[in-house]
Amino acid sequence: MIRRDFDLEEMKYFLNLVELSTDDYLYIFDFTNDRAIYSKSITDVFPFASNAFENATAQLKAVVHPDDIDMLMEDLQEGFNGRRKEHNLEYRWKTVDGTYVAISCRGQYVISQGIKYLIGRISEIGKQSRFDNNTGLYREVVLENVYNEYCKVRHSRGFLMLVGVDNFKELNEKYGAKTGDEVLNILTDAIRRYIDTPLRIFRMPGDECAIFMPYTIEDNIEQAKNLYKRIRNRIDRVIEHRKYDIFFTISAGTAEFDTERDSFNDLLKNAKFSLHAAKLNGKNRCEIFDSVNYIEYIKKLGIQDELRRCISEGFEGFELYFQPIYNPQNDRLSGAEALIRWNCSKYGFMGPDKFIPLLEESALIIPLGRWIIDSAAKACNRWITNIPDFVMHINLSFVQIVKSNIIKDVLEYIGRYSAANNHYVFEITETIEMDRIPAVERVFKEFIKNDFRLAIDDFGTGYSNYGYMRDKIFDIVKVDRSFITDIDKQRNNYLMVSFIVKMAHEMGLHVCIEGVETKEELSCVRELGADYIQGYYYGKPVCVADFEEQHLKKLILG
C-alpha cells in the first residue's frame, strides 16, 4: 500500500477535470470513513443517486451482481489489510435499465494522513464480451482465467462438466429463439439450485454451460455423475410442473483435471469429447472422459483425413471387387455384386465395415459412390458381351440417397456405356429412416421409371420395410447370411428363410440368398426355391482380372 499525503479536495478537482477527456469513470474510495466519489457521468449509466455518497460499501454492493459480491469483497479486504498493492478485477454492475454490464475496475491502495483510500478507474468491457445477457453467467474466457489462476496459486484436482441441450437447433427452429433462451434459463436455474458458489458456472458457446468443480475432500468422479442426475431430475420436474408445454433433455461430458498436469485447452478438449460421446451414445446421459476412447476417436479422424486425401487424389488405394451371383437351378453365372475395397499407404488394407461408416459420416461416400458406379458400369459393359443377360449389383448408401442427386449421378455415369439400365440392380440396406422421409420413396420411383431394379439388402436383420415390398418398389429381396449359416441343421433358420421366400414369390418378387458356403446349405436353398445364390460356395469377392479368370473364362471356353 502506497503511503503519500495529498489534498483530497485537489484530488476531487483533478477527478472532475480528467473525466472530460476519458470514457472511463474515475473514483476515490475512502475505506476508513466508508465514503466514495466517482466521475459525475457515472449516474447516467449506473443507478447511483449521486456521484458522491456515504455508506459506500453498501451502495457498491447494491449495484454489483450478486454472484460477484463475495469475490469483490474478498479482494477489497485483501487490499485494506495491506496484502494487495493494487486492485484489478473484472465483475458486473447493474445498469439503470436493470441489466448487467461487465466492468474492469483498477486502482491503487493509498494511505494519506492515516486514511486508507482506493484510487483508480472503471471502464465498461461491454455487455457481450465477458458475460451472457440471457443467463447472467460469465463466458468461457472467464472460465479460462479462473482455471489458469488455480494453476498458478494452488495444486488442485476436480472436474469440468459441459452440459448441453439435446437437439437445441431443432428446438430453436421449431419454436423460435425466445423458447431457446427460455430453455437455457431453465438449464442454468437447475444448475444454480445445486451450485451457488460464484465462478463455478459458465455460459459456453451454443447450447452449453460449464461447471468448474475443484474437489474439496476426496477425489471422486461419482460427484459429477450424481450432480448430473440431480440437474436432470430437476429439469424433468420443471417440465412436468409446466405440463409439458416445453420438453427437452440434456447431455453432459465430464473430464477430471489436475492443475499441475492439465492445461485449460486440454481440459476443455477432453470435456467436449465426452459431451460429443454422450450425444452419440443416445443423448440424455453423462459420459466421463475415457482416454482409450479418445485415442480411438483421434485415430478415426485420422482415417477420415486419409480417406479424404485418397479420394481427392484420384481415388488412390480404392479398388472394386466382384462377388459372383449364380442361378442355383442351373449353376450359371447371372451377375455380380460390386464391393469396394481400400488399401491405403498409411493404414494398410482396411475392411469395409471399418471405413464405410466413416465415409458416410463425412459424406465422402458421395464422390466415392460416383466412382463406384462408373467403375462397376465399365465392368458390366465389358461382361455383357459374353453374358447378354448379365446383371451388375451396386450398393447405395442412405447418405447418397438423401444428400445427393443420386438419380442424376446414376444416369450420367451409366449413360457413358452401352449396357441398358435393366442390367443394373441397386441395393439398399433396409433402415427405418427410409420410412420417415417422403423424398426417399420419390427417389426409388425414379429408379423404377428409368428401368433400374432395386434390391433390399440384408433383409431380416433389422427394420424390415414390408411396405416397399408390398408396393413392389423393390423386386429383389436379399436374405442376410446370418439366416443361412447351418440352415441344414438349424430348423428355425430353415423355417424363417422358407417363409421369406414363399412370401416374396407370392408377391411377385425374386429372392437372392447370401452367405451360402457348403453343399448342404446350397441343397437347402435350392429346395426352398431361391432365385439367386451369392456366397463363398460359388466364389469370394475378387478383383476384375481374377473374376474374369474364375467365372467368365470357363463360360467363354464352354
Side-chain angles (χ1 to χ4, degrees):
M1 187 174 292
I2 299 172
R3 295 180 179 274
R4 182 175 298 163
D5 290 336
F6 61 84
D7 186 291
L8 183 58
E9 292 304 316
E10 285 188 4
M11 285 295 296
K12 291 178 181 178
Y13 172 77
F14 177 73
L15 182 149
N16 291 332
L17 188 65
V18 172
E19 76 162 325
L20 299 176
S21 58
T22 179
D23 291 330
D24 291 345
Y25 308 103
L26 308 181
Y27 67 88
I28 303 171
F29 199 111
D30 177 350
F31 279 107
T32 304
N33 299 298
D34 198 22
R35 296 181 300 187
I37 182 170
Y38 292 85
S39 300
K40 291 180 180 179
S41 58
I42 202 165
T43 58
D44 296 335
V45 180
F46 301 103
F48 294 111
S50 170
N51 70 308
F53 40 80
E54 308 289 332
N55 197 17
T57 303
Q59 296 264 26
L60 181 60
K61 287 182 177 180
V63 300
V64 174
H65 193 287
D67 288 350
D68 300 342
I69 290 175
D70 290 344
M71 171 183 67
L72 173 62
M73 290 300 111
E74 180 182 348
D75 189 274
L76 293 177
Q77 190 63 44
E78 292 279 304
F80 183 81
N81 293 334
R83 289 191 287 269
R84 286 185 185 273
K85 293 182 180 180
E86 64 178 24
H87 173 70
N88 185 3
L89 207 60
E90 294 176 358
Y91 49 102
R92 291 165 288 182
W93 272 17
K94 183 190 296 183
T95 64
V96 291
D97 61 5
T99 61
Y100 285 90
V101 62
I103 64 157
S104 168
C105 184
R106 300 190 65 175
Q108 293 285 332
Y109 294 100
V110 179
I111 295 180
S112 176
Q113 299 176 8
I115 299 176
K116 296 181 179 179
Y117 295 96
L118 177 61
I119 302 174
R121 63 101 182 112
I122 293 168
S123 60
E124 292 185 48
I125 299 174
K127 293 185 178 182
Q128 296 297 333
S129 58
R130 305 286 292 185
F131 81 102
D132 176 57
N133 272 348
N134 179 42
T135 62
L137 298 177
Y138 276 112
R139 289 185 174 273
E140 180 181 335
V141 64
V142 181
L143 168 61
E144 183 175 3
N145 292 340
V146 168
Y147 182 78
N148 290 337
E149 283 300 315
Y150 262 80
C151 292
K152 289 178 185 176
V153 302
R154 70 194 85 183
H155 176 210
S156 182
R157 290 174 52 82
F159 65 82
L160 176 69
M161 178 187 290
L162 292 182
V163 186
V165 179
D166 295 330
N167 304 315
F168 186 71
K169 182 174 180 288
E170 288 79 359
L171 274 172
N172 266 333
E173 290 175 349
K174 186 174 182 179
Y175 299 107
K178 185 176 180 181
T179 298
D181 289 345
E182 189 175 2
V183 165
L184 290 173
N185 278 306
I186 292 173
L187 170 60
T188 54
D189 288 346
I191 297 174
R192 282 185 170 124
R193 188 176 182 86
Y194 303 105
I195 302 174
D196 57 4
T197 307
L199 298 178
R200 289 287 181 270
I201 315 170
F202 302 86
R203 177 79 162 86
M204 306 298 280
D207 57 274
E208 299 169 14
C209 291
I211 301 171
F212 175 68
M213 189 60 63
Y215 291 131
T216 52
I217 301 175
E218 59 182 16
D219 299 350
N220 188 353
I221 195 60
E222 291 297 320
Q223 295 178 26
K225 295 179 181 178
N226 292 333
L227 175 61
Y228 167 76
K229 289 178 183 177
R230 291 198 296 269
I231 294 169
R232 190 181 66 183
N233 290 339
R234 175 61 187 172
I235 290 172
D236 290 344
R237 290 195 295 272
V238 171
I239 291 171
E240 184 177 0
H241 179 73
R242 293 173 55 130
K243 301 187 184 301
Y244 296 91
D245 68 326
I246 191 170
F247 180 81
F248 66 95
T249 58
I250 59 169
S251 296
T254 303
E256 290 188 280
F257 66 80
D258 184 322
T259 54
E260 289 190 346
R261 178 195 66 207
D262 301 309
S263 70
F264 176 77
N265 287 337
D266 286 340
L267 174 61
L268 186 60
K269 174 191 66 181
N270 294 345
K272 285 183 175 180
F273 167 73
S274 301
L275 177 57
H276 177 68
K279 297 200 173 190
L280 281 181
N281 292 333
K283 304 176 183 177
N284 197 28
R285 60 192 292 127
C286 176
E287 292 283 349
I288 308 301
F289 178 75
D290 185 306
S291 58
V292 174
N293 290 341
Y294 182 72
I295 291 170
E296 285 297 313
Y297 174 71
I298 294 300
K299 181 180 178 181
K300 185 181 83 169
L301 294 181
I303 294 172
Q304 277 187 334
D305 286 342
E306 187 67 7
L307 284 165
R308 187 175 289 105
R309 184 192 68 79
C310 288
I311 289 171
S312 66
E313 296 182 7
F315 304 95
E316 176 189 314
F318 289 101
E319 184 178 6
L320 273 191
Y321 274 38
F322 300 89
Q323 185 172 28
I325 298 174
Y326 272 73
N327 182 327
Q329 307 309 319
N330 56 21
D331 279 339
R332 288 185 63 84
L333 180 70
S334 64
E337 179 179 356
L339 298 163
I340 189 67
R341 297 293 184 261
W342 184 44
N343 189 4
C344 79
S345 56
K346 185 172 183 179
Y347 295 100
F349 182 84
M350 187 174 295
D353 60 318
K354 300 292 185 184
F355 69 82
I356 287 180
L358 302 182
L359 289 168
E360 292 178 327
E361 282 181 22
S362 58
L364 290 169
I365 192 67
I366 294 173
L368 181 62
R370 297 184 184 117
W371 181 84
I372 291 171
I373 294 168
D374 182 62
S375 302
K378 182 178 180 180
C380 180
N381 193 65
R382 177 174 172 175
W383 294 336
I384 61 172
T385 303
N386 300 309
I387 308 176
D389 58 351
F390 185 91
V391 175
M392 180 65 74
H393 289 237
I394 302 172
N395 290 283
L396 291 182
S397 163
F398 188 71
V399 175
Q400 291 172 272
I401 295 170
V402 298
K403 293 188 177 180
S404 71
N405 192 339
I406 187 62
I407 288 293
K408 177 178 177 294
D409 290 341
V410 166
L411 291 174
E412 176 184 345
Y413 288 96
I414 286 180
R416 295 176 177 179
Y417 306 96
S418 59
N421 291 355
N422 59 6
H423 283 278
Y424 298 94
V425 172
F426 288 93
E427 298 188 8
I428 295 96
T429 301
E430 55 172 348
T431 169
I432 194 169
E433 284 84 0
M434 291 197 308
D435 220 18
R436 293 179 173 176
I437 305 176
V440 170
E441 186 172 351
R442 291 197 294 271
V443 171
F444 291 160
K445 288 180 177 179
E446 281 294 312
F447 274 98
I448 297 169
K449 180 181 176 181
N450 284 280
D451 296 324
F452 296 111
R453 300 169 69 191
L454 296 176
I456 299 180
D457 197 14
D458 300 333
F459 185 84
T461 57
Y463 176 80
S464 297
N465 202 315
Y466 293 102
Y468 284 116
M469 291 176 61
R470 177 199 63 207
D471 298 336
K472 295 188 177 181
I473 289 176
F474 293 91
D475 72 340
I476 299 177
V477 175
K478 297 191 74 175
V479 180
D480 186 71
R481 62 187 177 185
S482 61
F483 293 103
I484 308 307
T485 302
D486 294 331
I487 191 172
D488 53 309
K489 303 181 185 71
Q490 299 289 337
R491 181 160 176 77
N492 285 344
N493 281 4
Y494 185 91
L495 291 173
M496 179 65 75
V497 176
S498 174
F499 168 76
I500 294 173
V501 172
K502 183 178 180 180
M503 176 186 64
H505 283 170
E506 289 187 357
M507 298 175 75
L509 310 180
H510 296 87
V511 177
C512 178
I513 303 292
E514 298 183 285
V516 175
E517 297 185 0
T518 67
K519 286 184 178 180
E520 292 76 15
E521 291 170 354
L522 176 63
S523 177
C524 282
V525 297
R526 273 179 173 161
E527 181 182 307
L528 292 173
D531 302 289
Y532 308 107
I533 298 293
Q534 182 178 349
Y536 285 2
Y537 180 83
Y538 285 113
K540 296 181 179 180
V542 291
C543 65
V544 169
D546 289 345
F547 185 87
E548 292 179 347
E549 178 70 26
Q550 296 172 19
H551 302 285
L552 294 180
K553 189 174 182 180
K554 62 181 180 181
L555 185 65
I556 296 169
L557 295 176

